[in-house]
Amino acid sequence: MKLHLKNPLVFLDLETTGINIVTDRIVEIALVKVNVDGSEEEKLMRINPEQPIPTEASVIHGIYDEDVKDAPTFKEVAKTLAKFLEGCDLAGFNSNRFDIPLLAEEFLRAEVDIDLKKRKFIDVQAIFHKMEKRTLAAAYKFYCNQELVDAHSAMADTKATYEVLKSQLDKYKGVAYEDAKGKKSTPIENDVDKLSEFSSYDRNVDFVGRIVYDENGVEVFNFGKNKGIPVEQVLQEQPGYFGWILNSEFPLYTKKVLTQLKLKMMSK
């Protein structure tokens, strides 16, 4: 099924030094841009992470220090990548929880101004887990009836994710879904806005869900002693909490969002 797009949709996959959004870095990025007219563009880059790649990570994706020692750093390619992503929505497999948050961190470290929050995100894994609860290789076998060769190769995973989404649209057209509250709907439609909404687990304000919207659309903290408490209330009653977050190991984007909320509160 051909995707109905309002904007180009970029499927992405990252291979990294690890799974910590704050401290780990990209070693390879694969992008497949599906344009509104259905044409496709591919971009594959190896990245020098400027830190050793742990052996346990290299065993998974097959990329070692020697493979990236002469590759450009993310800062050196950040503007090129930002231009490629300009005006595009984003899709991936587990991308809402990992790839997009880590990519946002890399852009912030490179001091390249690209507000990914303005984009729509489709997480094919979220759709898959909600409807079938499997892995990418199983998803590819289940939906496309093919074995995933070269799993954990960034481009192979990226292309498989694109094929899985198209098959999901065919398989679940008109199929009913019941959420945890018993609400029934037919959410799988060939529409980026609706797919983005359905593939989001949380209404995150930042990418990693340290700050989320409650049922009334109010920004609340989603961790620790202040979980569920409005950000504005915490900043008023615990003025040191803001500084603690800024000086602790939180993602840069979380700190950026919190700073924006504090400035908004101060301007009232």
Side-chain angles (χ1 to χ4, degrees):
M1 177 182 287
K2 182 179 177 180
L3 299 179
H4 296 165
L5 302 176
K6 299 175 183 176
N7 304 307
L9 182 63
V10 174
F11 290 80
L12 75 156
D13 185 71
L14 307 179
E15 302 301 341
T16 65
T17 59
I19 58 173
N20 187 310
I21 300 297
V22 176
T23 60
D24 282 307
R25 301 291 187 268
I26 296 171
V27 298
E28 185 174 70
I29 180 168
L31 304 168
V32 174
K33 181 189 289 188
V34 184
N35 295 303
V36 174
D37 63 4
S39 62
E40 300 174 17
E41 303 172 55
E42 297 180 4
K43 187 178 290 292
L44 178 65
M45 288 184 176
R46 288 276 174 93
I47 305 292
N48 185 334
E50 301 181 273
Q51 64 182 50
I53 305 174
T55 302
E56 55 269 28
S58 294
V59 167
I60 293 173
H61 50 55
I63 302 171
Y64 293 81
D65 292 333
E66 182 69 19
D67 300 320
V68 293
K69 65 181 179 64
D70 297 321
T73 65
F74 188 88
K75 188 168 186 176
E76 290 172 329
V77 301
K79 290 183 178 178
T80 299
L81 289 173
K83 185 173 180 60
F84 188 81
L85 296 174
E86 188 175 354
C88 300
D89 296 318
L90 302 174
F93 198 85
N94 195 34
S95 49
N96 284 0
R97 292 185 171 184
F98 182 72
D99 300 80
I100 291 172
L102 181 54
L103 185 61
E105 289 295 294
E106 291 278 34
F107 276 122
L108 283 170
R109 280 190 287 265
E111 299 180 336
V112 171
D113 187 14
I114 174 172
D115 192 353
L116 296 177
K117 265 293 183 179
K118 293 181 179 179
R119 317 301 174 84
K120 295 294 183 181
F121 306 136
I122 299 176
D123 192 328
V124 172
Q125 186 195 62
I127 296 173
F128 185 39
H129 284 183
K130 286 182 176 181
M131 302 301 286
E132 302 295 343
K133 298 179 174 59
R134 303 269 177 88
T135 63
L136 176 57
Y140 194 56
K141 176 68 175 177
F142 181 84
Y143 290 109
C144 305
N145 197 30
Q146 297 184 59
E147 298 295 334
L148 179 54
V149 180
D150 294 329
H152 297 297
S153 159
M155 187 56 75
D157 287 357
T158 302
K159 289 183 174 180
T161 299
Y162 175 31
E163 294 302 320
V164 168
L165 177 59
K166 290 191 291 183
S167 295
Q168 286 175 330
L169 291 172
D170 287 326
K171 182 175 179 62
Y172 297 124
K173 182 178 180 180
V175 175
Y177 170 76
E178 183 174 345
D179 66 17
K181 297 180 180 179
K183 182 180 178 181
K184 294 182 179 180
S185 61
T186 52
I188 308 301
E189 297 184 30
N190 199 340
D191 180 276
V192 169
D193 290 355
K194 292 180 180 179
L195 290 170
S196 175
E197 180 180 355
F198 184 65
S199 61
S200 298
Y201 283 101
D202 300 302
R203 298 178 63 204
N204 293 349
V205 181
D206 63 344
F207 285 116
V208 296
R210 298 293 185 267
I211 303 172
V212 299
Y213 293 106
D214 67 11
E215 63 275 11
N216 298 313
V218 176
E219 298 93 344
V220 301
F221 284 109
N222 194 36
F223 69 96
K225 66 177 184 179
N226 291 314
K227 185 173 183 178
I229 302 176
V231 171
E232 184 171 333
Q233 179 182 335
V234 173
L235 294 182
Q236 288 176 338
E237 296 178 355
Q238 304 173 45
Y241 200 67
F242 175 77
W244 173 73
I245 290 180
L246 259 60
N247 292 311
S248 299
E249 196 175 87
F250 285 87
L252 294 175
Y253 198 85
T254 301
K255 296 177 182 181
K256 179 180 178 180
V257 166
L258 184 61
T259 300
Q260 290 171 339
L261 291 175
K262 182 177 177 66
L263 292 172
K264 179 181 175 182
M265 180 186 77
M266 293 172 62
S267 68
K268 291 182 179 179

